[in-house]
Amino acid sequence: MAVSTSLLILFVIVYFACTFYVARLGYKKNSQTDGYMLAGRRVHPAIMALSYGAAFISTSAIIGFGGVAASLGMGLMWLVFMNIFFGIFIAFVVFGPGTRRMGLNLGAITYPEFIGKRFQSRFIQAFSGLLVAVFMPLYAASVIIGAGRFLESTLGINYNFALLIFTVIIAFYVIKGGLLSVMYVDAMQATLMLIGMTLLLIYTYSKLGGVVEAHQALTNMANLVPQALVDQGHRGWTAMPAFNSPIWWTMISTIIMGVGIGVLAQPQLAVRFMTVKDDRSLRRAVAVGGPFLLMMAGVAYVVGALSNVYFYRTTGMISLQVVPDGNTDLIMPAFLNHAMPEMFVALFMLSLLSAAMSTAAAQFHTMGTAIGYDFYQQGLMKGQSTATTVRVTQFGIAFTILVSVILAYLLPVSIIARATAMFMGLCTAAFLPLYIGALFWKRTTKAGATASLVAGSISSLFWLVFIHAKEAVPLGICQAIFGKATLLAGTWSLVDPILVATPLSFLALIVVSLMTPQFSPEFLKKTYRRRFEDEEEDASENASHKATDSAGV
């Protein structure tokens, strides 16, 4: 379907005018380094929740995982549950308050600084910043690939040109405006995404005859699964894969576990807990973040799977057979352009641009601060110089944008979902154990946290390069060194690194912490203390509940 050029130009002009206006509002409220990197610590809970959700749900979810759902089926709905339970409820209610208070007590303004100051280690901060700066471009590249593929298929423009235009626009407001600009734009873009996904769900069911008929038709298509997928455990688009099969391991360990739990250890998301003023703001944000993630991820996976019904009815082929080379990254763009009305395609293009821009902006800001603040100022300069921190951070953002774009040109097809899962799995192994130790186990020591960080990072990367077939085989490093595709065969080559590296990281944290001296009681008291405003807030909230109960009686 060709989208009207005049209609498209009008939509894009209005969209970018709104984007730059909202970004400017955030820029004007920045206050030096703290405002640029942490948004002033007084962001409204709805803004925080929408920014968090928009930064989390991107084209990698809508385009990448939507395409995976078209290939593997509705089993990905378990990922939606994991996203909401861990990514919103556990994150906001359990992890968020401790992160906010401790970050304020320690004066931390980035995630690497948060864990570095908690464990009084410049090495932890610098190493964490370097880990983010080196490996997050892989995740960022997957996001901008999704945007580029949709622009390519929708507008018929060159893929490389689409990538360039997209990244230049993001670079402008991220480099200039800082985190508050990013969060303001995120909230605006999240609203567009919500509208777009709601309409997509309605249009899809109307095209396929209703909810019940659409899902029954998909169930009845189980006999159309290609034999190659059947041999790997595929049992139909509305059934889980066969237990212990290759597809089962991919779905459970890499996708559902890797992305579902990995969200807790994402630096660009955790830092948002430190942008609100109190714990009540975090609890209030759950009511916004939960429904938002349900609509974003849930609709993408449902529509992705149901695209098989549409394509089979209209072309006699399933989704994988419609796109070139079975590229799952092209399934959702193909479905949108074939099945949806012209006006909707133009509107949804803006929704997808919003999804990609919000996540990429969060990633670029996080990578830039990791380079400029955590690695440069706190690592190389030993915290002694702050005059050039923002300038180096801006340079870091520009550099990581360039690296991400280069990767977007080089990465293979069907890479969006896998690249996302790889980065989230690495973050889980490297950061989650010491993050939990920082918040909930005062006995965690500097040596224990360091051992956990290093062990999780190295073991995760080792498993990716030498054991896990999905990465080890295409990389070819194991083949070049040892003369075989993977060091371990059979089921081991199907197990995602998260299931091996994360337990090793936890083990290193516990064992080394128990063997080394803990922090002084004075430091721990300062780190974990509740401030007056928190106590006042809780007292006020308790009084309000008592008054309500009394009125009810």
Side-chain angles (χ1 to χ4, degrees), residues 52 56-70 72-89 139 240-241 248 250-264 266 269 289-290 292-302 416-418 420-422 424-425 428 498:
Y52 179 99
F56 178 29
I57 299 297
S58 67
T59 46
S60 64
I62 300 171
I63 299 297
F65 284 94
V68 171
L72 303 184
M74 292 282 189
L76 263 71
M77 293 304 292
W78 281 106
L79 178 56
V80 179
F81 167 78
M82 296 287 279
N83 288 158
I84 295 173
F85 181 72
F86 284 101
I88 297 294
F89 180 75
Y139 181 17
M240 286 294 288
W248 185 89
T250 296
M251 184 176 289
I252 298 298
S253 68
T254 301
I255 297 176
I256 296 176
M257 298 289 289
V259 179
I261 297 176
V263 63
L264 290 173
Q266 293 295 293
L269 300 182
F292 178 80
L293 250 66
L294 175 63
M295 286 302 298
M296 293 302 103
V299 171
Y301 306 160
V302 167
I416 296 177
R418 178 152 301 280
T420 302
M422 284 171 61
M424 288 195 172
T428 302
I498 190 175

Side-chain angles (χ1 to χ4, degrees), residues 72 228-235 239-254 468 470 490-491 493-495:
L72 303 184
L229 291 179
V230 173
D231 295 341
Q232 296 181 62
H234 202 308
R235 300 193 301 180
M240 286 294 288
F243 176 74
N244 205 35
S245 65
I247 291 180
W248 185 89
W249 278 104
T250 296
M251 184 176 289
I252 298 298
S253 68
T254 301
H468 196 227
K470 289 287 187 180
T491 300
S493 65
L494 305 174
V495 176

Side-chain angles (χ1 to χ4, degrees), residues 33 77 131 135 140 176 282-283 314 337:
T33 302
M77 293 304 292
L131 199 67
F135 292 101
K176 184 68 175 175
L282 289 167
R283 293 192 290 270
T314 56
N337 284 295

Side-chain angles (χ1 to χ4, degrees), residues 76-385:
L76 263 71
M77 293 304 292
W78 281 106
L79 178 56
V80 179
F81 167 78
M82 296 287 279
N83 288 158
I84 295 173
F85 181 72
F86 284 101
I88 297 294
F89 180 75
I90 297 297
F92 286 18
V93 176
V94 180
F95 282 69
T99 304
R100 186 196 67 81
R101 292 193 206 118
M102 193 176 293
L104 187 60
N105 291 339
L106 296 173
I109 60 177
T110 69
Y111 179 78
E113 184 181 34
F114 169 79
I115 55 178
K117 284 191 171 182
R118 164 60 182 88
F119 297 112
Q120 296 185 311
S121 171
R122 291 194 188 279
F123 171 80
I124 288 179
Q125 182 173 354
F127 186 90
S128 300
L130 189 62
L131 199 67
V132 169
V134 170
F135 292 101
M136 190 177 278
L138 179 68
Y139 181 17
S142 72
V143 172
I144 60 180
I145 287 172
R149 290 301 184 194
F150 185 73
L151 289 173
E152 176 190 35
S153 61
T154 302
L155 307 182
I157 63 176
N158 180 269
Y159 170 69
N160 297 331
F161 181 70
L163 286 183
L164 180 63
I165 295 299
F166 174 75
T167 49
V168 165
I169 292 168
I170 297 176
F172 177 80
Y173 74 83
V174 177
I175 294 174
K176 184 68 175 175
L179 184 57
L180 192 56
S181 283
V182 170
M183 294 184 73
Y184 274 26
V185 173
D186 283 351
M188 182 200 80
Q189 292 168 335
T191 304
L192 272 177
M193 292 161 62
L194 190 60
I195 294 171
M197 296 303 279
T198 301
L199 292 176
L200 175 61
L201 187 66
I202 293 171
Y203 273 127
T204 299
Y205 281 131
S206 65
K207 280 280 184 181
L208 302 181
V211 177
V212 175
E213 181 177 335
H215 287 267
Q216 186 60 52
L218 187 63
T219 300
N220 296 339
M221 290 174 59
N223 63 307
L224 299 175
V225 176
Q227 188 60 43
L229 291 179
V230 173
D231 295 341
Q232 296 181 62
H234 202 308
R235 300 193 301 180
W237 288 278
T238 57
M240 286 294 288
F243 176 74
N244 205 35
S245 65
I247 291 180
W248 185 89
W249 278 104
T250 296
M251 184 176 289
I252 298 298
S253 68
T254 301
I255 297 176
I256 296 176
M257 298 289 289
V259 179
I261 297 176
V263 63
L264 290 173
Q266 293 295 293
Q268 75 276 17
L269 300 182
V271 74
R272 277 160 169 72
F273 301 144
M274 296 189 279
T275 64
V276 295
K277 65 178 181 178
D278 52 38
D279 292 355
R280 182 167 50 188
S281 296
L282 289 167
R283 293 192 290 270
R284 290 168 61 191
V286 173
V288 177
F292 178 80
L293 250 66
L294 175 63
M295 286 302 298
M296 293 302 103
V299 171
Y301 306 160
V302 167
V303 171
L306 290 175
S307 69
N308 287 284
V309 179
Y310 173 80
F311 283 125
Y312 186 68
R313 288 179 178 177
T314 56
T315 69
M317 297 183 289
I318 63 171
S319 300
L320 278 173
Q321 296 166 341
V322 170
V323 296
D325 303 318
N327 186 353
T328 57
D329 296 344
L330 296 176
I331 291 175
M332 288 295 284
F335 173 73
L336 290 164
N337 284 295
H338 282 84
M340 300 294 118
E342 177 183 322
M343 177 70 78
F344 176 79
V345 174
L347 175 64
F348 199 77
M349 185 198 72
L350 299 184
S351 299
L352 274 181
L353 280 178
S354 296
M357 289 176 69
S358 57
T359 301
Q363 293 165 338
F364 294 147
H365 183 271
T366 300
M367 290 185 286
T369 56
I371 291 174
Y373 188 79
D374 298 307
F375 183 69
Y376 168 73
Q377 180 186 318
Q378 300 298 320
L380 296 182
M381 304 302 294
K382 308 296 183 185
Q384 296 178 1
S385 174

Side-chain angles (χ1 to χ4, degrees), residues 530-537:
R530 292 175 62 92
R531 289 173 172 258
F532 174 75
E533 58 265 29
D534 295 321
E535 296 167 356
E536 188 179 56
E537 168 214 329

